[in-house]
Amino acid sequence: VQLQASGGGLVQAGGSLRLSCAASGSAFSVYTMGWARQAPGKQRELVADITSGNSTNYADSVKGRFAISRDNAKNTIYLQMNSLKPEDTAVYYCTAEIRPATWGAEIAPYWGQGTQVTVSS
């Protein structure tokens, strides 16, 4: 099972970006999915997550500016980022709780490759 993230880039302060992340591979079940970010010299922090029932959770720093959504049929999540600030600059990572459809498999966290988001002032 792999998580493939896309949509990062360079944007001016006040601008918008949309990140996407798709889970793919052989048979599996996906539960909570989300986005975390890591800025240079800082610890990785959870930005937002969304359950399979579409309950959402956001870091205080992004509430009102970012919106997470998901398409369960495509095992894909999106992060719409509006009113971006220079402090949003970071590598954004997709994460998901996944259970492979093999006997005895347990739910485990999976991480995608990061995508760089740079916000210029």
Side-chain angles (χ1 to χ4, degrees):
V1 180
Q2 292 184 328
L3 297 175
Q4 183 68 43
S6 61
L10 172 65
V11 65
Q12 289 188 333
S16 299
L17 282 174
R18 188 187 194 216
L19 305 182
S20 300
C21 174
S24 63
S26 53
F28 57 91
S29 297
V30 184
Y31 301 91
T32 298
M33 300 182 75
W35 294 93
R37 67 186 181 188
Q38 187 166 20
K42 294 187 177 182
Q43 289 189 330
R44 190 174 297 189
E45 61 171 351
L46 180 67
V47 174
D49 61 25
I50 183 168
T51 68
S52 55
N54 287 323
S55 293
T56 59
N57 175 55
Y58 296 93
D60 287 343
S61 58
V62 306
K63 283 181 181 177
R65 300 188 298 121
F66 290 10
I68 189 170
S69 59
R70 73 187 283 167
D71 183 335
N72 287 329
K74 296 180 179 179
N75 290 319
T76 298
I77 59 169
Y78 307 94
L79 185 68
Q80 179 65 43
M81 305 185 293
N82 299 326
S83 301
L84 282 161
K85 304 175 181 180
E87 50 264 44
D88 294 318
T89 295
V91 178
Y92 283 70
Y93 297 91
C94 174
T95 182
E97 296 176 338
I98 292 174
R99 188 205 314 265
T102 55
W103 187 84
E106 297 183 350
I107 297 174
Y110 284 68
W111 291 88
Q113 90 289 358
T115 184
Q116 178 70 45
V117 172
T118 302
V119 184
S120 63
S121 56

